[in-house]
């Protein structure tokens, strides 16, 4: 038969456990290391650290690409720091597109929850894998490979992308080529694009040089 | 100026790349190792290997717990093998519950796409983190910790759980304690539950001993 | 033939090495990250940091479970920080038991050094693996799975548990279910235990709600 | 004093060690898994498995880009399988360029051993890091980010690229966009490039669609 | 109230789980990869795979070094394959010594269970950490560093070494230098040892060349 | 057609990305953890952090071993911190030797860029793998195993060693045995070397005790 005295055993255990962390909620103000952010003091951690509510409303797609990407990476969702995964919401109005891009630090699973999406990726062996997804479908993009998403129908599509890292990174090819200070001559030399094409996109995307 | 002769360079590169794999689609018939399944011959890989369509229909919740869990782990979705993530669909009819359980091999992100869900986890330090989630909310459960999901409203709730492994595992506490051949005496000795309680649940859950 | 001048080469090497760390002794006061504690300044590290002497005496088993678990995890044994392993001592008086539990962050090797221990674990596929171990026997429990230890004889048993992480965590099922603020209604809903059973164990283990 | 009898101890040890592998030379014919190729039977491993001699001669740069990349990844150099690194030789004739590309599976260190190279990478935050390297200089490109190399002088440049994986992968942006079956409409939609530009490069690089 | 119909839910779950592996017991006859041995078919796995009984008897120390090392690595103890840890038994008769050695693939925890042991390691920064351990004491040796164990008293000492890998490897310096075909001239050139010394130890340890 | 308004989308993305780090340039003054140094504030990172110019000049080989090793590990080359690789330059004048040593934390790839080098390693199974390398040849040494390099010709040889870690460590056997405070009696007991030999090398290498 059990009596309250059993507490003494458990209290000892819990004392030891006081120093144990099963998680490492990001302290965004602390030093960051190769494995992620420093851990918030566990005494100050609450359930709010493990819940992200920023996906309740749709992203704003009133822009020329008719799309919005809303990340819940470690910087936005401190609870995922150190846990090996994160998530983002994707809104694609009719005609919307998430341009060709890569995530240097993670593989991705795309889940369509509304509408249809035409999506695909290209492998190192230069094979093309493209598919039209409907509500409920999932596609996986292996780490670091070029991929894209396009609204595949006449109404807004919504999807959620899960990543195998709390910090997957995002490199949109157009933005990397035309949206910064990389000189046009270097872009042309390394992509074989024509000068007029490069200059045109640099103007649109705010690049200089 | 570029001429077709440039192909010679690229053809050389692609020859080298023929041996490169950015992915390792599971060959479920091949040998399995600690890092996952063997890779399917890349020459036979198609886009279908990277797409999972099994979530289009709701899971069958006409059971006593009014819930269904449908996994897309490496065994069901070969494309995620080796890529560090997977996903499952969760249907919770009114009154439905996913009983207390752990995933021994992964952290989890729960995304609510319909209805409301009351959910929580318990840490090694024995703190309780419980929250009612609405549509669009996400909760993260650190790897290996006990957690549960309960329908929080009057209509069916649907959620998707992403995992930080293609093979997260699933151990439902009740099933582990009462649904197998573990002798009642051992269950009672290691859980302090009463004999009548153990016998009752063993009968319900099909356990013996 | 060698002359002292060779020193010049080695001194150069050691100068470089001054910045090299083969280890990262925990600085328990510094910031913690997902990979563990910050490193103590190597200039202040001594052999005492790599030696743990807290297992010389038996743990106190004069409690109702007749058992004691004494951890040498990174928090107690700073030298293991970052090195991928740790250890604990287990004392089981006659009738003693380490209740059903998991380590969310590590696999475990149990080595019996005195007496006999009945022990086992349950897998995700719900198979039960139970064995009576004698002095010198070792059992391995895969990461995150429920397992237990019970004194298997008439005299005190002693064992040492090695872990594949300096911070394995410990979640005792009873303590997680009945020893905190998790409301009884949630426990009952997620475990199918009867209200009376839950209330009884909550009283014993100090839980509220 | 030592006598030959000590052999008995060491022979025992070596017997145990017969099963130990410190390496896993790739058996290119065996099953491949997420962690790499199967291991060649260690009894058949020779020093030739750990040495790569394919870099003695320069790569053939008589092509329109005046460059050659010669990999020694696990498929070409079986000894690096499972060891976390690999290497490639880069020859850049005057005017030569390695076009914009990524390695999805590895970070890279570029070491210039002859001539000068203008090289750079672009980060997720869209910062540009470009530098002209001379003989002996090293540049590091973080995993998965776009980077390029251009001959920076009037004579052939030679460099060696080390990678943090035996299977780093290689995705040349131009080749991924214009050298396969990805339909022109999809390229244009996801890159904002003009139709004429896309068609022109598809013709040069052998793409269809 | 619960009825047997709940089984339907759980049976569905267990069907899914049939493909789930929380472990990967080594199939020593199957292909080996960088992450370890292939997995034994889980249908054939029994509790015996997770238990090692080879440490019940002392190792044979009737040799010139008066010591015995008995490993339970993956090759001897298939249950630890893929689980990140292993163990060995060490017997040191009076005067016994485990000569200077490294484990290329793991950190080690030494636990003394009988007698006393003088032990230590040397760091990359060339610091020496030596300690005399008594029964119950633990010392940790960081991965890959030279260390040794010597019986510290007048009676047999017994210890258990845990490793942070199922395949830690073992390289005994003397054996590597003097117990194989490495030519004496190379040994002398790379160690500065005298020719007579090298020849003497080669004779004792069975080396040639 | 694209208009500057597309900027709004990209500006949102770049705002999110401001918190994203694809790299973690070492802040050598910040706290260090098991995964490496703290990250320098990305706002202060420049291309100079990713370029190492310390290999332009040969190392000084006017010492008794006629050799120099110049590391570009994380401590010397902050840009490699957290990226899984590093590099060192090796100069071997005629007769030069890099004595028998290990890298506890990394595998190594040696690339000869001038002259010839005789090099080899010894495995846990005590096999010897030795080869004479010429310009352009590469040899891989698996992690933690003893290896050496000797000038194989009549003129200075130069090589570059890449490592699978930004912090590979370096333990030169002679230096570990004879160049510190490890007592001669312990050296002799654990290596079987004669007292005269130990004393002689301790004198040369500056060891005491």
């Amino acid at each position: 038969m059990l009596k309250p005295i059993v507490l003494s055993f458990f209290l000892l255990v819990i004392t030891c456990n006081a120093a144990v962390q099963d998680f490492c909620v990001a302290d965004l103000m602390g030093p960051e290391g190769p494995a992620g952010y420093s851990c918030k003091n566990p005494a100050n951690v609450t359930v709010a650290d493990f819940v992200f509510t920023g996906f309740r409303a749709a992203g704003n797609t009133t822009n020329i690409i008719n799309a919005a990407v809303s990340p819940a990476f470690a910087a936005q969702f401190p609870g995922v720091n150190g846990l090996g995964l994160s998530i983002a919401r994707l809104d694609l109005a009719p005609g919307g597109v998430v341009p060709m891009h890569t995530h240097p630090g993670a593989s991705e699973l795309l889940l369509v929850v509304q509408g249809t999406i035409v999506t695909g990726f290209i492998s190192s062996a230069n094979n093309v894998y493209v598919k039209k997804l409907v509500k409920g479908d999932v596609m996986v993009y292996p780490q670091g490979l070029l991929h894209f998403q396009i609204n595949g129908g006449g109404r807004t599509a919504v999807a959620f992308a899960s990543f195998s890292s709390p910090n997957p990174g995002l490199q949109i090819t157009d933005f990397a080529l035309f949206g910064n200070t990389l000189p046009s001559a270097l872009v042309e030399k390394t992509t074989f694009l024509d000068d007029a094409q490069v200059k045109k996109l640099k103007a649109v995307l705010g690049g200089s040089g």
Side-chain angles (χ1 to χ4, degrees), chain A:
Chain A
M1 214 195 85
L2 272 171
K3 295 193 219 135
I5 193 172
V6 74
L7 272 170
S8 66
F9 166 74
F10 287 115
L11 285 175
L12 280 171
V13 171
I14 202 175
T15 303
C16 295
N17 279 4
V20 172
Q21 289 204 45
D22 313 295
F23 45 74
C24 176
V25 173
D27 171 3
L28 299 177
M29 296 300 103
E32 195 175 351
Y37 293 98
S38 293
C39 312
K40 188 175 172 178
N41 183 336
N44 300 330
V45 168
T46 71
V47 69
D49 291 303
F50 300 108
V51 175
F52 183 80
T53 60
F55 294 155
R56 290 184 184 178
N60 182 359
T61 61
T62 55
N63 53 43
I64 201 120
I65 58 164
N66 298 308
V69 178
S70 309
F73 300 166
Q76 294 85 30
F77 185 8
V80 298
N81 186 50
L83 295 185
L85 77 182
S86 61
I87 192 165
R89 175 181 174 135
L90 172 55
D91 292 272
L92 284 170
V97 58
V98 180
M100 197 68 80
H101 65 285
T102 64
H103 303 286
S107 292
E108 174 182 346
L109 273 181
L110 187 83
L111 166 75
V112 178
V113 298
Q114 180 185 301
T116 62
I117 294 180
V118 173
T119 180
F121 73 89
I122 303 143
S123 70
S124 276
N126 216 21
N127 289 119
V128 178
Y129 302 94
V130 177
K131 189 84 173 179
K132 184 170 188 169
L133 307 180
V134 301
K135 183 180 172 181
D137 287 354
V138 179
M139 183 162 188
V140 62
Y141 316 106
Q143 181 166 344
L145 298 179
L146 283 166
H147 61 287
F148 62 90
Q149 289 98 10
I150 300 175
N151 190 322
R155 68 173 189 122
T156 294
V158 180
F160 287 89
S162 302
F163 299 93
S164 62
S165 163
N167 185 22
L170 168 60
Q171 183 160 58
I172 298 174
T173 307
D174 256 44
F175 202 44
L177 296 179
F178 311 118
N180 49 40
T181 61
L182 188 64
S184 295
L186 283 182
V187 177
E188 293 158 27
K189 178 78 177 176
T190 60
T191 63
F192 312 134
L193 294 173
D194 294 334
D195 180 63
Q197 179 73 88
V198 171
K199 293 273 169 58
K200 178 180 172 187
L201 285 170
K202 274 202 169 267
V204 172
L205 295 170
S208 59

